[in-house]
Structure formats: C-alpha cells, structure tokens
C-alpha cells in the first residue's frame, strides 16, 4: 500500500503525519488489495466558517476508487470522520463483491 500525504496552506507537524499513517495501516484489515492511498489535509481560510480543517482521503483498489471528505475544528477529528466513512464504503463494496 502506497501512502501519499499532502498538505495545503500549512506545514504539518510530525505528530499529525504519524497519526495519519498509524490510522491508515488499519485499512489493510478491511481490504487486502489496496494499491494507493492519497490524503489531503487542507486549511480553509473562510472567516465565517468554524469548520476550517478539511481532510480528504482517496483510496485506489483494482478497478475501483473511493473518495471521502470531512471537515471539523481539528485535523484529527476531520481525518477520523473521513476514515470512518471510507471504511464503511470499503466494507460495502467488499460485501457486494462477495455476494
């Protein structure tokens, strides 16, 4: 599994990158043929919006691609919400393939 983490409009600290990598390793338990994972962490500088930290995750498996996006007050919370949604998508796809 190839993991690519990109940040937009900020420089991530080591703890955030380690947190993302650690959580992404659990994806292998849900699907064993993951080719590539792209994570985009973005700062949204909208003054009127409190939810200004966005996490986007794109996962590629053979013949299929998943994409999720979540925003909240912290990158960890945004990433966790996006990852939870992604895991649900992967599980549903794998169940359909098994049936």
């Amino acid at each position: 599994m190839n993991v690519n983490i990109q940040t937009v409009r900020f420089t991530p600290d080591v703890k955030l990158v380690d947190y993302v990598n650690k959580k992404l390793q659990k994806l292998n338990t849900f699907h064993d043929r993951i080719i590539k994972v792209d994570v985009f962490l973005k700062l949204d500088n909208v003054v009127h919006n409190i939810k200004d930290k966005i996490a986007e995750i794109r996962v590629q498996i053979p013949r299929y691609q998943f994409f999720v996006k979540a925003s909240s007050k912290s990158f960890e919370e945004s990433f966790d919400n996006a990852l939870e949604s992604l895991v649900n998508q992967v599980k549903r796809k794998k169940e359909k393939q098994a049936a």
Side-chain angles (χ1 to χ4, degrees):
M1 177 171 72
N2 184 12
V3 177
N4 181 22
I5 300 172
Q6 294 182 350
T7 57
V8 180
R9 297 192 186 127
F10 78 102
T11 305
D13 62 340
V14 177
K15 286 190 285 184
L16 180 61
V17 173
D18 288 343
Y19 179 82
V20 169
N21 279 321
K22 181 180 160 198
K23 290 282 190 167
L24 285 176
Q25 295 308 315
K26 296 178 183 175
L27 276 178
N28 283 328
T29 61
F30 301 109
H31 202 291
D32 54 343
R33 298 184 63 201
I34 295 174
I35 299 169
K36 182 178 178 185
V37 179
D38 292 320
V39 178
F40 302 97
L41 301 174
K42 299 179 182 180
L43 266 179
D44 193 13
N45 292 335
V46 178
V47 177
H48 305 293
N49 194 356
I50 296 173
K51 295 183 176 183
D52 60 347
K53 293 179 175 67
I54 300 169
E56 298 177 349
I57 307 171
R58 183 185 321 137
V59 173
Q60 290 180 324
I61 61 172
R63 298 180 303 179
Y64 205 76
Q65 182 169 312
F66 303 98
F67 180 81
V68 291
K69 180 177 180 179
S71 64
S72 70
K73 296 176 186 173
S74 74
F75 282 115
E76 289 84 359
E77 185 179 348
S78 297
F79 181 77
D80 286 344
N81 291 340
L83 188 64
E84 185 177 321
S85 178
L86 181 76
V87 166
N88 288 336
Q89 285 185 26
V90 171
K91 282 182 180 177
R92 267 188 272 134
K93 180 68 177 173
K94 195 160 186 179
E95 286 172 4
K96 282 184 181 178
Q97 286 177 342

